[in-house]
């Protein structure tokens, strides 16, 4: 590659980045649909290989099956989980006065006794009014969502267009995914095609471990934690369980977050330390299942991104491109990591490194 070609590639990358920055709001439904298609493509490929009495699904019918499953899952999330989360949070706020009263009468005197210093009791009325005012101003999850899209006709039109575009784009991307990948591969110069295919395969392994395998692990852990905490009669079971599942893409972070919040909720609800043992057992079971069953089965031994790299990628993407940057953070980070690994390999085998 001569100098003019290098400058052309650099100019193309800069122009593409600037165009992405300008069109970020418009590209959001396309990025979201591409992520859904990427998650569903292996399932479609698997359905295409299945045979039943000599009859096999074609690509379109397999896409219809997977697409219906995605739509049903999203609908179940919106219809069942969000109202349940709102109900549990509302119940917690209603019982907050009794919790704060118990803290002032039981916990604060104990802390004063063991720490040997005066600790000011919580101001119940001010704290309760502050939390309730924020909750009422937000109007709850569902009501706040409705209010946010009702301020202007343009916002409503944008929401409706995104809701319509995302499933349509997802369907077509799922149907034509293999053809699109092949056509993109054919665009690269033949002398680079082998290297590009190798790097793309490595990036797919890294990305698949996080966007496919880790997504399923997060979902499974959220269900396990929620059901387990519900069985021990914790009122905020769904809220804490799903929160712990969502942040479990960082090793041990989900369990630590869940244990802290679940123990606090159990102390406030039951007002004794005996009920902490069942809560700890729930997370012990969840961590055991993650290490022995979920991660080996769903993620395998693929090399993933470092947890610090994951957090930096998500924060940097959100800062630069907003919600679109959050959606594209992990795909871009996985590709960059593979490229850096390739550059490091070329560097360590170069004459500059070995003879320097």
């Amino acid at each position: 590659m001569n100098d003019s070609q290098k400058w052309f590639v650099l100019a193309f990358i800069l122009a593409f980045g600037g165009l992405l920055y300008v069109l970020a709001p418009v590209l959001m439904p396309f990025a979201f649909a591409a992520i859904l298609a990427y998650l569903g493509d292996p399932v479609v490929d698997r359905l295409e290989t299945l045979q039943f009495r000599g009859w096999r699904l074609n690509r379109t019918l397999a896409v219809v099956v997977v697409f219906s499953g995605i739509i049903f899952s999203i609908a179940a999330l919106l219809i069942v989980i969000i109202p349940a989360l709102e109900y549990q949070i509302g119940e917690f706020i209603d019982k907050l006065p009794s919790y704060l009263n118990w803290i002032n009468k039981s916990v604060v005197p104990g802390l004063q006794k063991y720490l040997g210093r005066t600790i000011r009791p919580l101001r119940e009325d001010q704290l309760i009014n502050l939390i309730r005012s924020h909750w009422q101003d937000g109007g709850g999850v569902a009501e706040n969502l409705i209010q946010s899209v009702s301020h202007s006709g343009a916002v409503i039109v944008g929401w409706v267009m995104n809701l319509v575009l995302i499933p349509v784009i997802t369907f077509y991307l799922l149907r034509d995914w293999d053809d699109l990948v092949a056509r993109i591969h054919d665009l690269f110069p033949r002398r680079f095609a082998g290297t590009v295919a190798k790097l793309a395969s490595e990036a797919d392994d890294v990305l698949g471990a996080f966007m496919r395998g880790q997504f399923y692990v997060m979902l499974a852990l959220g269900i396990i934690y929620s059901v387990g905490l519900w069985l021990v009669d914790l009122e905020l079971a769904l809220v804490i369980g799903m929160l712990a599942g969502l942040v479990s893409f960082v090793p041990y972070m989900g369990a630590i977050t869940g244990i802290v919040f679940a123990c606090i909720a159990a102390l406030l609800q039951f007002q004794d330390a005996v009920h902490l043992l069942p809560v700890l057992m729930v997370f012990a079971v969840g961590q055991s299942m993650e290490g022995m069953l979920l991660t080996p089965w769903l993620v395998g031994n693929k090399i993933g991104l470092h947890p610090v790299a994951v957090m930096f990628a998500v924060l940097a993407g959100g800062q630069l491109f907003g919600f679109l940057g959050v959606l594209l953070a992990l795909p871009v980070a996985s590709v960059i990591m593979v490229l850096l690994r390739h550059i490091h390999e070329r560097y360590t085998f170069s004459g500059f490194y070995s003879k320097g």
Side-chain angles (χ1 to χ4, degrees), residues 15-211:
F16 180 78
L19 186 64
L20 186 68
Y21 181 81
V22 173
L23 297 179
V26 179
L27 295 177
M28 193 277 293
F30 293 89
F32 195 80
I35 291 174
L36 292 178
Y38 182 79
L39 293 174
D41 179 66
V43 183
V44 174
D45 293 339
R46 182 67 62 86
L47 289 177
E48 283 188 285
T49 61
L50 297 179
Q51 289 188 2
F52 180 73
R53 296 181 179 180
W55 183 74
R56 177 182 296 179
L57 287 175
N58 58 30
R59 180 77 182 184
T60 302
L61 290 178
V63 168
V64 170
V65 173
V66 175
F67 183 77
S68 302
I70 294 175
I71 295 298
F72 176 79
S73 302
I74 295 176
L77 177 67
L78 295 176
I79 295 174
V80 178
I81 296 182
I82 291 181
L85 290 173
E86 184 174 356
Y87 173 78
Q88 289 190 358
I89 295 174
E91 287 290 306
F92 175 79
I93 293 176
D94 291 338
K95 297 180 180 180
L96 190 59
S98 63
Y99 296 157
L100 297 178
N101 184 53
W102 173 75
I103 291 176
N104 285 333
K105 290 185 176 180
S106 302
V107 178
V108 172
L111 292 176
Q112 292 176 343
K113 177 181 178 181
Y114 287 105
L115 297 179
R117 60 173 58 185
T118 302
I119 299 177
R120 298 175 60 183
L122 298 175
R123 297 181 179 180
E124 302 177 23
D125 295 337
Q126 294 182 2
L127 186 58
I128 292 171
N129 291 333
L130 178 63
I131 295 176
R132 282 181 174 173
S133 64
H134 281 287
W135 182 250
Q136 290 172 357
D137 290 339
V141 178
E143 185 179 349
N144 189 34
L145 181 64
I146 295 174
Q147 291 179 353
S148 64
V149 300
S150 62
H151 289 303
S152 65
V155 176
I156 296 176
V157 172
W159 273 83
V160 173
M161 289 296 296
N162 288 338
L163 291 177
V164 173
L165 281 175
I166 289 175
V168 173
I169 298 171
T170 302
F171 178 84
Y172 284 109
L173 286 178
L174 268 176
R175 192 190 65 176
D176 302 328
W177 188 266
D178 294 339
D179 293 336
L180 290 173
V181 172
R183 291 182 180 181
I184 293 174
H185 179 267
D186 292 338
L187 291 176
F188 289 94
R190 294 300 87 191
R191 55 179 176 173
F192 300 133
T195 303
V196 170
K198 177 177 178 294
L199 295 177
S201 177
E202 293 180 9
D204 182 66
D205 289 338
V206 175
L207 186 58
F210 275 85
M211 295 199 59

Side-chain angles (χ1 to χ4, degrees), residues 173-254:
L173 286 178
L174 268 176
R175 192 190 65 176
D176 302 328
W177 188 266
D178 294 339
D179 293 336
L180 290 173
V181 172
R183 291 182 180 181
I184 293 174
H185 179 267
D186 292 338
L187 291 176
F188 289 94
R190 294 300 87 191
R191 55 179 176 173
F192 300 133
T195 303
V196 170
K198 177 177 178 294
L199 295 177
S201 177
E202 293 180 9
D204 182 66
D205 289 338
V206 175
L207 186 58
F210 275 85
M211 295 199 59
R212 291 192 187 117
Q214 194 62 42
F215 172 79
Y216 299 135
V217 170
M218 290 162 54
L219 181 61
L221 285 177
I223 295 174
I224 291 172
Y225 292 147
S226 299
V227 173
L229 295 176
W230 174 73
L231 290 176
V232 301
D233 203 26
L234 193 67
E235 294 176 348
L236 292 175
L238 185 61
V239 177
I240 297 175
M242 286 301 171
L243 175 64
L246 286 176
V247 298
S248 62
F249 66 91
V250 181
Y252 306 108
M253 181 61 69

